[in-house]
Amino acid sequence: MFQVASHPAAFHLREKRDPPAHRRPSYDYAAPAPAPQQQQALQLPRTLARPPFTDISRDALVAAAPELAAVPAEFIRHGLRAKGPHMQAGIAALAPSHLPVSLPRDRLPPALRIPLCAPPPGAPAPPSYPTHALAIGLPVSKSSPSPADAPQAVFPVHAVVLAAHCAKLPRLPPASPPSSRSSSITLPVLPLALPSPQAFAILHAYMYTHRIDAALGSLLPLPSAFLSSLASSQDPSVALSAALARPSTRHALSEHLLAAAGTSLSALMAHAGHVKELWQDMVALGVYDPALWAGVDLAWEVVLGAMNLGVQ
């Protein structure tokens, strides 16, 4: 099992889990209505704690891209943003009929051989093909067993992207890049246990696009005008911090979320669960992106604000 060092402790929320569906960009499952005594006993932390900063592993980075050994991490991430469209084109070139959405945990193949499709017109060239496939499932323990054939969500990834963003991941095993004339690609399959495969779908997209508006829009139903303002901001982390510090903005966003939830506490609990799961995955992987953390902070404030409005 390809593992991260640890997982953050979860706090309890009554929520329904869907089967892995990482190609669906947003959550669409709802929490069951809690019993009255459970509503009264519900306790959520005031904030979602940020762990101490840990720099990315140079060993993991060198294994993924030896030429970047002496390059500062921030410059690497900046350079990867420019290459993001080429990497996305490489992922999109994988034949969908041969790229499984999920695989059973007890029958994971050592590798997937996937045919390559011709890039669509207008796609950036040349495409940068992924190097590995992550098979992500829930942690298994004596207290929380899961079936041997539990589905593991499959995500094609580039090793250098993971190494540049996830401080707690060890080095990935080597992969053989395809030649320019290859008609298929072989991706080593790496099992990875995370608190939420669904939340990793948001992280997976964000590491390639750095679109905080898309990440928050997948996490919560927020006003389109607010998300558009983030998309046009030169520094989304500053814009999010400003929104977090402005009571009127937080209140307006909470009112919007409450209305979108139909004033249902059950639905708001589900939204809280979504934010919690993204936070857990970020801590487990060691993702320290300032804009993404500011987005999680704001999303948590908005959910708590909506809950407070809903019980008034």
Side-chain angles (χ1 to χ4, degrees):
M1 173 70 75
F2 185 75
Q3 293 181 331
V4 295
S6 61
H7 303 294
F11 46 87
H12 296 290
L13 289 170
R14 288 173 56 83
E15 55 187 314
K16 174 184 173 182
R17 293 187 180 276
D18 279 350
H22 66 275
R23 296 196 179 94
R24 186 174 58 238
S26 61
Y27 291 94
D28 60 2
Y29 59 88
Q37 64 269 23
Q38 290 170 323
Q39 292 185 14
Q40 295 172 3
L42 177 65
Q43 291 184 348
L44 301 178
R46 181 62 187 84
T47 60
L48 297 178
R50 297 191 189 188
F53 174 80
T54 302
D55 203 357
I56 61 173
S57 166
R58 282 286 149 181
D59 181 58
L61 182 63
V62 170
E67 70 278 9
L68 300 178
V71 181
E74 191 55 38
F75 282 94
I76 294 173
R77 286 188 285 266
H78 182 76
L80 289 175
R81 294 188 189 191
K83 296 179 180 179
H86 297 267
M87 292 181 170
Q88 290 177 284
I91 292 176
L94 304 180
S97 59
H98 289 73
L99 178 62
V101 172
S102 64
L103 291 167
R105 181 166 58 88
D106 61 346
R107 294 192 298 276
L108 291 179
L112 293 172
R113 188 164 185 83
I114 303 174
L116 297 174
C117 302
S128 175
Y129 298 114
T131 58
H132 299 77
L134 296 183
I136 298 183
L138 297 173
V140 178
S141 65
K142 292 182 179 179
S143 60
S144 58
S146 64
D149 60 351
Q152 314 289 286
V154 177
F155 295 86
V157 296
H158 294 73
V160 66
V161 171
L162 292 181
H165 291 88
C166 304
K168 292 186 179 179
L169 278 183
R171 62 186 296 166
L172 273 66
S176 301
S179 69
S180 58
R181 297 182 179 180
S182 296
S183 60
S184 64
I185 188 173
T186 299
L187 302 179
V189 176
L190 305 177
L192 176 62
L194 284 178
S196 173
Q198 293 94 336
F200 182 78
I202 296 178
L203 286 177
H204 182 262
Y206 183 80
M207 286 189 287
Y208 286 94
T209 67
H210 287 268
R211 286 192 53 187
I212 191 62
D213 60 308
L216 281 180
S218 296
L219 192 62
L220 295 176
L222 296 175
S224 57
F226 176 73
L227 296 177
S228 296
S229 70
L230 293 178
S232 60
S233 173
Q234 292 186 346
D235 192 337
S237 63
V238 172
L240 287 164
S241 297
L244 188 61
R246 194 176 299 122
S248 59
T249 300
R250 298 198 311 269
H251 184 79
L253 293 175
S254 293
E255 283 189 325
H256 181 91
L257 181 62
L258 180 62
T263 69
S264 165
L265 179 60
S266 172
L268 292 176
M269 287 172 60
H271 289 314
H274 304 161
V275 180
K276 177 264 295 184
E277 289 177 350
L278 179 60
W279 165 75
Q280 286 182 291
D281 277 6
M282 288 172 64
V283 174
L285 290 168
V287 177
Y288 297 98
D289 183 88
L292 196 56
W293 270 109
V296 168
D297 289 343
L298 180 62
W300 191 246
E301 287 288 331
V302 169
V303 171
L304 295 185
M307 287 182 170
N308 286 334
L309 291 173
V311 297
Q312 289 179 2

